[in-house]
Amino acid sequence: PLIAPNAICSGSYGQLWHWQVRQQSFDDVTFLQTVGNEMRPYLPRCLNLKTLRIDGFEVDCTLPTLQDLDQLTSVSAFRGGRLNIAGLAGCEALITILLENVGEIAGLDIVWTLPSLRELNLADRSRSEDRMRVRRVTGRMDRARADTTGKLSVRPVDLGTISGPGVLELLNLRGRELPSIRPLLVLTKLVTLDLGDTALSDIAGIDELSELEKLAIDHNLVTDITPLLDLPALKEVWLN
């Protein structure tokens, strides 16, 4: 489980792994990969941690208070149940937060207080994966039939109150329910925005994101795309 002098990778190693962790000095750990809450007691001791990755947790996972980790620049989580990230409050060095295919995300209010955050990815790709399964089974995309199974429902996300533009350059909400883009229009530093598969129907006002270069609004209900004509920096658009 100790794959390098400055890395810890946890997993189902039983008592042997727990013994090794207790013996481990955390002073030089810069990368940590864990499953759910397994490393929760040790995280605040990794004072030089730069990258934290959480994989495949099925139960609730809550991050401890990590504001003393002043070198933490990247946090990612994949394929989990409910994740509470409120413990990231005060992590002023954080540049990237990637929470992909996480069922429910709590504590998102704090991301708008992180002064260095440039990339926020909250994509839920399980919906598109279900589409692919339907195609394999039926040989075609029978949308009406698939929707009746409940498998293709969009997961909601509570972004909290977006307090200001900050320095956020990339926002990915693919597969998350977004009734309106209005709350996002204060993020005027955005360069890349992925709103694919969010049940979005209206993009009026998007011209306020004047630095936007890449935009995805595919698999939505948008019928009027004329607001895109007022985005001077726009280079790439996904509309299918």
Side-chain angles (χ1 to χ4, degrees):
L2 305 187
I3 59 176
N6 65 341
I8 294 180
C9 183
S10 75
S12 301
Y13 297 101
Q15 295 301 315
L16 172 62
W17 178 79
H18 289 287
W19 179 84
Q20 288 177 307
V21 166
R22 285 197 296 271
Q23 308 306 311
Q24 173 76 11
S25 169
F26 292 90
D27 294 343
D28 298 323
V29 173
T30 59
F31 173 88
L32 192 151
Q33 178 177 342
T34 182
V35 178
N37 291 307
E38 198 167 58
M39 285 294 295
R40 177 181 166 86
Y42 309 102
L43 274 174
R45 293 164 53 188
C46 302
L47 296 180
N48 291 309
L49 189 67
K50 295 181 180 179
T51 302
L52 170 63
R53 172 170 172 153
I54 308 167
D55 285 324
F57 53 97
E58 295 181 1
V59 295
D60 288 1
C61 179
T62 300
L63 294 180
T65 300
L66 300 178
Q67 63 180 0
D68 291 336
L69 277 56
D70 57 11
Q71 296 187 50
L72 185 64
T73 58
S74 175
V75 172
S76 57
F78 300 91
R79 296 188 181 280
R82 184 180 188 273
L83 177 65
N84 190 323
I85 65 168
L88 296 178
C91 294
E92 297 190 354
L94 258 180
I95 296 173
T96 301
I97 296 178
L98 167 58
L99 311 176
E100 191 163 297
N101 283 14
V102 175
E104 180 184 349
I105 306 168
L108 277 172
D109 264 335
I110 63 97
V111 304
W112 314 117
T113 69
L114 301 175
S116 302
L117 190 67
R118 284 179 166 79
E119 299 184 6
L120 178 61
N121 188 333
L122 307 177
D124 179 10
R125 300 184 186 278
S126 59
R127 182 175 164 95
S128 58
E129 289 169 1
D130 279 338
R131 282 201 189 95
M132 293 304 295
R133 294 188 189 98
V134 171
R135 285 193 182 100
R136 285 195 294 269
V137 171
T138 65
R140 59 192 175 88
M141 183 57 218
D142 188 342
R143 179 64 178 269
R145 178 180 174 186
D147 281 346
T148 60
T149 68
K151 291 181 179 180
L152 299 188
S153 59
V154 186
R155 285 177 175 172
V157 62
D158 182 4
L159 295 174
T161 301
I162 304 177
S163 53
V167 294
L168 195 69
E169 297 176 354
L170 182 151
L171 177 62
N172 188 341
L173 298 176
R174 176 169 292 273
R176 301 285 182 178
E177 186 176 10
L178 185 71
S180 170
I181 66 167
R182 287 290 173 185
L184 308 181
L185 299 183
V186 299
L187 300 173
T188 54
K189 300 295 183 183
L190 280 177
V191 175
T192 301
L193 178 60
D194 190 338
L195 302 178
D197 216 2
T198 55
L200 189 66
S201 60
D202 187 6
I203 57 170
I206 199 169
D207 55 293
E208 295 182 31
L209 304 179
S210 59
E211 297 185 24
L212 203 61
E213 295 181 7
K214 298 180 181 181
L215 173 67
I217 51 174
D218 54 285
H219 292 93
N220 279 309
L221 306 173
V222 176
T223 56
D224 181 7
I225 62 171
T226 55
L228 301 183
L229 298 175
D230 297 319
L231 290 171
L234 196 62
K235 297 177 180 178
E236 299 179 21
V237 186
W238 286 265
L239 295 172
N240 54 300

